[in-house]
């Protein structure tokens, strides 16, 4: 916490983003163009902690609580040993019964060893907090003794000697999950209903000498967090409760620090299906960590202003937030966030366990170290702590994880304000020579776990000095396409290009050299596609990478998933282009950019297959890494090889071709919707239409090629993923005319 203390205590836990005219649009000598501007470039404050984890000792169980001060980090939980950073589980272990202390700067244990035990059952340390002067460490949990000294679920430890204080003993009837400390008061939260023989339901306060105080904040369900405001006048309470002192206030309440009387209630502020797991604060606000189960849950974080105790912001990421901590205007959190699409961030990505946000804005900052879920009640991180040592700032994370940044590491990890050692990913590059007299150098912006703005340098023909330098913004789920057009070339010349990405400290290796020969005339087919206004145009000319380059000015690149078959020949149309092959099981592509519901639109692609299991060729869905839960505007093949075009306007609306097209030949399909309804063209000819279906489902989504779910649609094929080859995929923000479509098909041979 940053309000005068460097320590951090656990709040306690129990659960847990015309041809020539068209070609002119592609030109732009010695300029780079981005598909969109990622917000990462303008966000402040910068994240001062790197995403590079440091060598740290491990535990053999779950770390539930931590506190830190003066370069020492105390960790409590449910574990029995600690071991060196590279040691496998069960090897090189040192006894550490539910508690260990570590040097913040080295990650190694200190000489402080305490044993928290229980005569029967499993002992655990769920809360740790330091006194403001750092002289006393308060511990809470479920335990009956500390180093053999009898206690009752709460204890005080002299940090100078690392011994339990005999003058701090009070009976607490059940588990203590949260502790907050001032100069003269220790606030407790947990499962208990009595303290010192007096009724205290879930929250209580005692003196630093363990005398029970009149403070009464009786709650009806478990307490999980307590936080004293910087002025010492209020205490913020968090947990599962629905009432405090009879006042309706779910999961969050502010009470008077002396009496416990409710001063701000929050009925309906947190959904009934969610709870508050942790609370932290700074000079201007307090911040909550929330998790829920079932429908309508709130799993994110809330920022509340201290001047009026009203909401500043909240994010709506899904993924059980367990821990929050503030440092230098950045709110760090531990969770297993898996969907932040409701706030414009990543959709259905694999779980991300460590996130950062500005205390003034819920938008995610570019800081993405990661753990796994781990063991026990798997969430991953459960607690955070911070302290300074040797001129550096350290952020420690504890929990049940068993990996950190994809390497084995159990229970504990730490990060610092330097050095930054992680280099950005090597850029994925594609060259295009659609327009004569130039080479378009396209690349997918790279990913870096702690930098959102990267510098790119392009090297031409093996030179050691870059021919062009630019910057671009990116996040792990949002990697926009950039383009530089080289016009210092002549028809018939062949040139090669390589690109590096740098975060200012670390630079990636150069991308593999790619070569292209400058065209003397425009390619007829792509020129027509661009002239007709394609907003997305994937030609599938990439080598082995995740990058599907957009040939048009929209720069709406795609992600290729699960390594489809690249550079398939012969391609669908004349020229040097290649096609792509999908396996019908799990290979597909999705657009980097999320789109609003289109009004009029057209989707176009070439396909070749002999499958008898059908599959989706192209469609619009709300998810990227999983099957979508909202999906329409799609063309799919049935088992017998017929094509279906469908939209959803409250009901599923489809039209189906009378003929089959799974004969192993290249075919051209275009589906349109506009004021004249929907139409489906195959090989340049209108095959079926319906003038009644003029609208489609209203949701934000991604264009997906090669597969997505079809549940609930007519004649669902055996496979919803397409087995075969695709080429020249395009999307248009208008309904193409039959004349335009026929012209596209006629240009297939050049």
């Amino acid at each position: 916490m940053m309000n005068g203390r460097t320590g951090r205590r656990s709040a306690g836990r129990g659960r847990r983003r015309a041809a020539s005219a068209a070609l002119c649009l592609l030109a732009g000598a010695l300029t780079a163009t981005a598909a969109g501007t990622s917000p990462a470039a303008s966000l402040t404050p910068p994240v001062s902690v790197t995403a590079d984890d440091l060598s740290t000792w491990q535990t053999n169980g779950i770390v539930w609580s931590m506190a830190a001060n003066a370069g020492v980090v105390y960790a409590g939980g449910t574990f029995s040993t600690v071991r060196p950073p590279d040691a496998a589980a069960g090897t090189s272990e040192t006894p550490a019964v539910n508690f260990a202390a570590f040097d913040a700067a080295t990650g190694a244990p200190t000489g402080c060893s305490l044993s928290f035990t229980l005569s029967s059952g499993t002992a655990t340390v769920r809360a740790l907090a330091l006194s403001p002067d750092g002289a006393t460490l308060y511990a809470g949990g479920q335990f009956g003794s500390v180093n053999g000294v009898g206690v009752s679920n709460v204890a005080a430890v002299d940090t100078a000697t690392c011994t339990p204080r005999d003058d701090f003993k009070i009976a607490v009837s059940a588990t203590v999950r949260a502790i907050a400390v001032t100069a003269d008061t220790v606030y407790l939260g947990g499962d208990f209903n009595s303290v010192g023989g007096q009724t205290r339901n879930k929250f209580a306060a005692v003196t630093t000498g363990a005398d029970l105080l009149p403070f009464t904040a009786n709650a009806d369900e478990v307490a999980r967090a307590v936080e004293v405001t910087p002025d010492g006048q209020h205490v913020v309470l968090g947990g599962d409760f629905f009432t405090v002192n009879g006042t309706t206030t779910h999961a969050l309440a502010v009470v008077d620090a002396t009496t416990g009387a409710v001063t701000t209630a929050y009925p309906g502020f947190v959904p009934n299906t969610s709870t508050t797991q942790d609370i932290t604060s700074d000079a201007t606000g307090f911040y909550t960590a929330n998790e829920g189960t079932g429908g309508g849950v709130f799993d994110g974080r809330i920022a509340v202003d201290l001047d009026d105790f009203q909401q500043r912001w909240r994010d709506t990421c899904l993924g059980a937030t367990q821990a929050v901590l503030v440092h230098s205007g950045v709110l760090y959190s531990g969770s297993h966030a898996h969907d932040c699409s409701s706030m414009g961030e990543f959709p259905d990505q694999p779980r991300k366990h460590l996130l950062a946000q500005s205390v003034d804005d819920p938008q995610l900052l570019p800081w993405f170290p990661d753990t796994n879920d781990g063991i026990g009640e798997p969430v991953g991180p459960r607690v955070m702590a911070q302290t300074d040592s040797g001129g550096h700032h350290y952020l420690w994370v504890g929990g049940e994880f068993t990996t950190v940044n994809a390497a084995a590491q159990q229970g504990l990890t730490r990060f610092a304000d330097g050095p930054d050692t992680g280099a950005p990913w090597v850029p994925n590059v594609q060259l295009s020579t659609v327009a004569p007299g130039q080479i378009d150098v396209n690349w997918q912006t790279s990913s870096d776990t702690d930098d959102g703005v990267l510098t790119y340098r392009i090297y031409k023909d093996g030179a050691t000095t870059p021919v062009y330098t630019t910057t671009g913004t990116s996040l792990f789920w949002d990697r926009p396409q950039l383009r530089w057009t080289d016009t210092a070339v002549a028809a018939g010349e062949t040139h090669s290009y390589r690109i590096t990405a740098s975060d200012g400290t670390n630079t990636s290796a150069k991308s593999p050299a790619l070569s292209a020969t400058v065209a003397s005339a425009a390619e007829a087919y792509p020129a027509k596609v661009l002239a007709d206004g394609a907003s997305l145009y994937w030609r599938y000319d990439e080598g082995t990478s995740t990058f599907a380059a957009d040939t048009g000015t929209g720069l709406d690149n795609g992600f290729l998933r699960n390594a489809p078959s690249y550079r398939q020949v012969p391609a669908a149309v004349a020229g040097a282009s290649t096609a792509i092959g999908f396996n019908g099981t799990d290979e597909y592509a999705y657009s980097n950019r999320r789109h609003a519901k289109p009004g009029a639109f057209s989707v176009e692609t070439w396909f070749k297959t002999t499958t008898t299991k059908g599959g989706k060729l192209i469609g619009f869905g709300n998810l990227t890494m999983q099957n979508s839960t909202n999906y329409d505007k799609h063309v799919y093949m049935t088992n017998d090889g017929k094509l279906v075009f469908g939209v959803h306007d409250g009901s599923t609306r489809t039209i189906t071709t009378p003929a089959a097209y799974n004969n192993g030949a290249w075919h051209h399909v275009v589906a349109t919707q506009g004021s004249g309804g929907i139409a489906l063209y195959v090989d340049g000819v209108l095959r079926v239409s319906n003038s009644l279906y003029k609208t489609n489902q209203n949701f934000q989504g991604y264009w997906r090629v090669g597969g997505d779910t079809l549940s609930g649609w007519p004649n669902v094929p055996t496979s919803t993923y397409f087995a075969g080859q695709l080429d020249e995929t395009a999307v248009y923000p208008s309904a193409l005319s039959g004349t335009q479509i026929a012209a596209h098909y006629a240009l297939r041979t050049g």
Side-chain angles (χ1 to χ4, degrees), residues 12-16 64 126 177 222 224 238-242 250-251 269-279 288-302 314-324 334-338 351 377-382 400:
R13 358 272 168 200
R15 302 161 299 178
R16 300 320 136 247
W64 291 106
R126 292 299 183 104
R177 299 182 181 274
V222 172
R224 300 187 184 279
D240 301 5
F241 53 81
F242 290 87
H250 174 55
F269 191 67
V270 176
N272 287 348
T273 52
S274 299
T275 61
T276 297
Q277 300 294 308
D278 192 15
I279 302 171
T288 70
N290 301 87
E291 77 162 1
T293 56
V297 303
F298 174 64
D299 274 349
R301 294 148 289 275
I302 303 174
R314 75 169 61 198
D315 74 54
T316 51
C317 288
L318 295 175
T321 306
Q322 303 298 303
V324 283
S335 67
H336 61 188
H338 53 88
R351 292 177 172 183
E377 306 171 57
V379 171
R382 294 287 186 173
E400 61 217 311

Side-chain angles (χ1 to χ4, degrees), residues 54-341:
L54 301 174
S55 178
T56 308
W57 275 57
Q58 310 172 74
T59 63
N60 69 340
I62 303 173
V63 175
W64 291 106
S65 56
M66 289 196 295
N69 185 50
V72 178
V73 177
Y74 304 95
T78 311
F79 53 86
S80 59
T81 66
V82 294
R83 65 184 187 273
D86 297 322
T91 66
S92 304
E93 293 183 320
T94 299
V97 184
N98 302 312
F99 176 89
F102 301 90
D103 185 303
T106 67
T110 69
C112 180
S113 177
L114 297 170
S115 177
F116 289 76
T117 59
L118 194 64
S119 60
S120 63
T122 302
T124 184
V125 178
R126 292 299 183 104
L128 291 171
L130 284 155
S131 59
D133 62 5
T136 303
L137 175 69
Y138 296 90
Q142 184 179 27
F143 48 84
S145 69
V146 182
N147 280 9
V149 177
V151 293
S152 179
N153 300 317
V154 66
V157 175
D158 182 279
T159 57
T161 62
C162 189
T163 57
R165 275 177 40 191
D166 286 332
D167 61 346
F168 186 91
K169 289 189 179 182
I170 190 166
V172 181
S173 64
T175 304
V176 173
R177 299 182 181 274
I179 300 176
V181 187
T182 68
D184 56 11
T185 304
V186 181
Y187 295 92
L188 310 175
D191 301 7
F192 53 83
N193 289 315
S194 73
V195 176
Q198 303 294 312
T199 298
R200 292 293 189 274
N201 297 325
K202 318 308 179 190
F203 294 100
V206 301
T207 68
T208 53
D211 296 320
L212 183 66
L213 290 168
F215 175 94
T216 302
N218 289 329
D220 60 336
E221 295 289 347
V222 172
R224 300 187 184 279
V226 289
E227 179 78 5
V228 182
T229 59
D231 62 6
Q233 300 301 302
H234 299 87
V235 180
V236 187
L237 312 178
D240 301 5
F241 53 81
F242 290 87
T243 65
V244 175
N245 291 340
T247 298
T248 299
T249 181
H250 174 55
L252 190 65
V254 179
V255 301
D256 182 273
T258 301
T259 67
V262 176
T263 59
T264 304
Y266 295 93
F269 191 67
V270 176
N272 287 348
T273 52
S274 299
T275 61
T276 297
Q277 300 294 308
D278 192 15
I279 302 171
T280 191
S281 66
D282 61 11
T284 65
F286 73 81
Y287 311 88
T288 70
N290 301 87
E291 77 162 1
T293 56
V297 303
F298 174 64
D299 274 349
R301 294 148 289 275
I302 303 174
V304 177
D305 288 323
L306 287 175
D307 56 0
D308 59 4
F309 293 105
Q310 298 303 302
Q311 178 177 297
R312 180 187 305 167
W313 56 257
R314 75 169 61 198
D315 74 54
T316 51
C317 288
L318 295 175
T321 306
Q322 303 298 303
V324 283
L325 179 148
V326 178
H327 173 65
S328 295
V330 174
L331 179 67
Y332 297 90
S333 61
S335 67
H336 61 188
H338 53 88
D339 188 348
C340 296
S341 58

